[in-house]
Amino acid sequence: MVMRKIKITLASDDGVATAACSELLDRHAAIEVVASLDDLTGHGAWLAMAQSDVLLIDESLLSRGGFEPLNMLLSTYPEVHCLLILESTCENKALWALMQGVRGVLTIREIRPLLIRAITEIVAGEIWAPRTLMQPIRRDLREVDDGSYAYCHPERIKEWVKWH
């Protein structure tokens, strides 16, 4: 039985996460990188998403352009799973991203040991996030049911979320 390759689009502004990810992805036979993007607003982003199973995006791109272009792509292509690479652990950024439709969150330090496993899990329908993040999500959704927890601390995510 031949397994279908997982098709991935890489999106990065600074290249640090992309370089680390590209090296790992190129060595994995079950993964095919279909595009590398430095912007989510162009025609190329829409074409790449139409061919992809996973969008692997780093925080630096969100810092530059805000979350809105990613949100538009994710709502247009709900079958594409998004994995966000954060520069460092930030609970509020990770929670907010998950509530916006991102399927997984990793830090740059976790790329080498966990990237392939995280991709495999999110393609299988799982959410990839540290266990410590899931408790506040469950608690807040039960209490408020509107995802307002992340909005309580906008100063922690303001550098890449454009508030409208």
Side-chain angles (χ1 to χ4, degrees):
M1 180 170 122
V2 178
M3 281 186 46
R4 187 176 82 80
K5 286 189 174 195
I6 299 171
K7 296 183 180 201
I8 296 183
T9 293
L10 296 172
S12 176
D13 191 30
D14 68 2
V16 174
T18 304
C21 293
S22 291
E23 178 186 323
L24 288 170
L25 298 174
D26 287 342
R27 292 187 301 202
H28 202 278
I31 293 176
E32 176 186 351
V33 176
V34 296
S36 289
L37 306 171
D38 60 5
D39 182 29
L40 293 180
T41 59
H43 187 64
W46 294 91
L47 292 173
M49 290 289 283
Q51 303 175 57
S52 299
D53 300 309
V54 176
L55 172 64
L56 186 58
I57 185 169
D58 74 354
E59 179 180 359
S60 64
L61 192 60
L62 295 179
S63 296
R64 181 179 56 140
F67 208 89
E68 190 60 29
L70 177 60
N71 207 352
M72 286 177 27
L73 287 170
L74 293 177
S75 63
T76 303
Y77 296 100
E79 69 280 359
V80 176
H81 306 289
C82 183
L83 181 61
L84 175 64
I85 307 294
L86 295 174
E87 292 175 20
S88 60
T89 303
C90 178
E91 182 176 301
N92 291 323
K93 285 181 184 180
L95 283 172
W96 196 85
L98 290 169
M99 289 179 185
Q100 298 303 307
V102 170
R103 299 292 297 182
V105 180
L106 284 176
T107 63
I108 290 176
R109 289 187 347 202
E110 295 171 321
I111 290 173
R112 189 159 303 285
L114 298 175
L115 179 65
I116 302 301
R117 185 169 169 212
I119 289 169
T120 305
E121 294 295 325
I122 66 170
V123 168
E126 299 293 325
I127 291 178
W128 185 272
R131 289 183 197 274
T132 56
L133 291 181
M134 299 317 289
Q135 280 302 90
I137 290 174
R138 287 187 193 112
R139 181 191 67 232
D140 290 334
L141 289 176
R142 268 186 259 129
E143 291 174 6
V144 182
D145 201 31
D146 67 354
S148 64
Y149 174 80
Y151 294 103
C152 295
H153 306 283
E155 70 280 356
R156 296 293 306 271
I157 55 176
K158 68 182 178 187
E159 58 271 6
W160 52 266
V161 175
K162 307 290 189 210
W163 298 102
H164 298 287

